[in-house]
């Protein structure tokens, strides 16, 4: 069962697509869309990532950071990012620490769940029924944007 709205978002530090160390605290003062997905370069995950890619300008204009998370490694994330021209970081949770901490473990992969974390680090929205084609616009709508 996903973490509840109102919960403090668990802190994390992992590597991103390019091998940079990324922590939740890096985004203090911004809204963070932390979306978990099962696997790079699969049909549903590609639709979901491309929905965020295509809406990135809307997100940036609202001071919102989008971070995708799966258990894939940096090399897989780099290939996925290049193939689909993704314009936001993917986080490599190869040891599944984030997947477990955010309670989205699907048995070896991440369940498709999205958390919206407010600028103060609180979870303000959880989407566990993701429509991969419209996910980015669904999150904007849930935020009233």
């Amino acid at each position: 069962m996903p973490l509840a709205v109102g919960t403090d978002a668990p802190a994390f530090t992992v590597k991103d697509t390019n091998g940079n160390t990324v922590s939740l605290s890096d985004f203090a003062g911004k809204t963070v869309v932390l979306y978990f997905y099962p696997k790079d370069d699969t049909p549903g995950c590609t639709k979901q990532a491309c929905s965020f890619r295509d809406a990135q300008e809307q997100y940036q204009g609202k001071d919102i950071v989008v971070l995708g998370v799966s258990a894939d490694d940096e090399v897989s994330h780099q290939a996925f990012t290049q193939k689909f021209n993704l314009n936001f970081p993917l986080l490599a949770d190869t040891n599944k620490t984030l997947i477990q901490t955010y309670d989205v473990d699907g048995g070896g992969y991440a369940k498709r769940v999205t958390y919206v974390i407010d600028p103060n680090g609180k979870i303000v929205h959880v989407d566990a029924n993701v429509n991969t084609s419209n996910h980015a616009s669904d999150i904007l709508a849930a935020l009233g944007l």
Side-chain angles (χ1 to χ4, degrees):
M1 181 141 189
L3 302 177
V5 168
T7 304
D8 287 333
F12 61 79
T13 300
V14 294
K15 298 285 185 184
D16 72 4
T17 310
N18 299 312
N20 299 314
T21 300
V22 175
S23 298
L24 181 58
S25 60
D26 296 341
F27 307 105
K30 295 185 180 213
T31 299
V32 176
V33 175
L34 187 67
Y35 85 90
F36 290 86
Y37 65 97
K39 186 151 182 56
D40 288 345
D41 205 5
T42 57
C45 298
T46 298
K47 281 185 198 173
Q48 185 176 20
C50 290
S51 80
F52 281 111
R53 175 200 66 202
D54 296 345
Q56 191 63 15
E57 189 173 299
Q58 293 171 293
Y59 278 83
Q60 288 175 333
K62 308 284 189 283
D63 211 18
I64 299 172
V65 175
V66 175
L67 303 170
V69 183
S70 77
D72 295 302
D73 63 20
E74 295 162 42
V75 172
S76 178
H77 283 345
Q78 287 169 0
F80 187 41
T81 295
Q82 289 172 359
K83 183 174 181 180
F84 293 100
N85 201 26
L86 301 181
N87 50 9
F88 57 90
L90 301 175
L91 305 182
D93 188 26
T94 55
N95 62 7
K96 301 179 184 72
T97 302
L98 261 79
I99 290 168
Q100 292 167 358
T101 302
Y102 278 81
D103 207 9
V104 296
D105 193 341
Y109 64 91
K111 293 179 192 173
R112 199 178 305 280
V113 175
T114 299
Y115 292 97
V116 178
I117 303 164
D118 77 6
N120 299 313
K122 289 258 189 235
I123 296 171
V124 294
H125 179 74
V126 179
D127 186 349
N129 297 305
V130 173
N131 175 334
T132 57
S133 298
N134 315 336
H135 191 51
S137 57
D138 290 346
I139 294 298
L140 286 170
L143 293 172
L145 304 172

